[in-house]
Each structure stands twice: as C-alpha cells, then as structure tokens.
Amino acid sequence: MIEIEIDNRSGAVLDEQVVASFARTVLEAEGLDACELGLGFVAGEEIRALKREHLAIDEVTDVLSFPIDGLGDLPEGLPRQLGDVVICPEVVGSEWRRPLAHGLLHLLGYEHGPEMEEREDRYAPL
C-alpha cells in the first residue's frame, strides 16, 4: 500500500484526494506498490527558506524533493520511506501535476535529463 501524508500550509485550496491519486498513479507506474510519502504544499517564503537551507540557493522555486530510502534494498519488514516532496502553489498555480511528477521522480533517483523529461511528459503532458 502506498501511504501518503499531505500537509497543506500554503493557503491554496487543494483536492487532496486528487493529489494523492495522481501521486499513487506515478509511483505505481514506476513499479512501487508499497511506500510512505510526504507531500507538503507551502508558501513562497517557506520554500525559499528550505532551498536556502538545503541547497544554499536563496530563491523561490516550484518543487523540492527530500529523498529518504529511494529504491535501495531495505531490511526485511521495514516500510520504504520514499521521502518528501514540497510544492509551492504560488509558483505552480493550478498546474501542480508536472512539478509533483518531477519531485517524485527525484525521490526515485532520476536526475534532470531526457529520461526524466520523457517520464514527466508521460505522467503530466504539457
């Protein structure tokens, strides 16, 4: 089972069931059937502070990913904690699907490039 915890601190109105369903669709298509995932929706200043703290870049951004387990081997019986994706609705507006797909792919170990873009296009076409 894919367990998703959503924390919306952004003030934006979100349909959390739609967000969770989309995330599950992407993760299942990438071969996961069980993991724990955190999704955060935050305001511009909060994502700016996170990017400054973790990447030493002082700017607002659309999405950040904080991987925990990735797809590596885990000891028997431990749940896979995929990590967290943080999205800023102020930046992405109502088009949160592609940034969410992008963030999830980073949690799965993908880096920027043609393979990641092809997957983003598959899950959230422009």
Side-chain angles (χ1 to χ4, degrees), residues 84-118:
D84 297 307
V85 174
V86 181
I87 296 175
C88 181
E90 287 175 36
V91 175
V92 301
S94 62
E95 299 299 322
W96 52 265
R97 284 173 180 80
R98 191 168 182 100
L100 177 51
H102 183 90
L104 292 171
L105 291 169
H106 273 309
L107 292 183
L108 297 173
Y110 290 96
E111 296 297 330
H112 295 146
E115 185 178 15
M116 186 177 205
E117 289 176 20
E118 182 272 323

Side-chain angles (χ1 to χ4, degrees), residues 3-4 10 18 20 26-27 44-45 50 55 59 73 75 80 84 87 91 99 117 120 126:
E3 295 184 32
I4 300 172
S10 69
V18 171
V26 171
L27 294 173
E45 282 306 309
L50 287 168
L55 299 176
E59 66 183 19
D73 292 332
R80 179 171 309 283
D84 297 307
I87 296 175
V91 175
E117 289 176 20
E120 289 173 353
L126 292 174

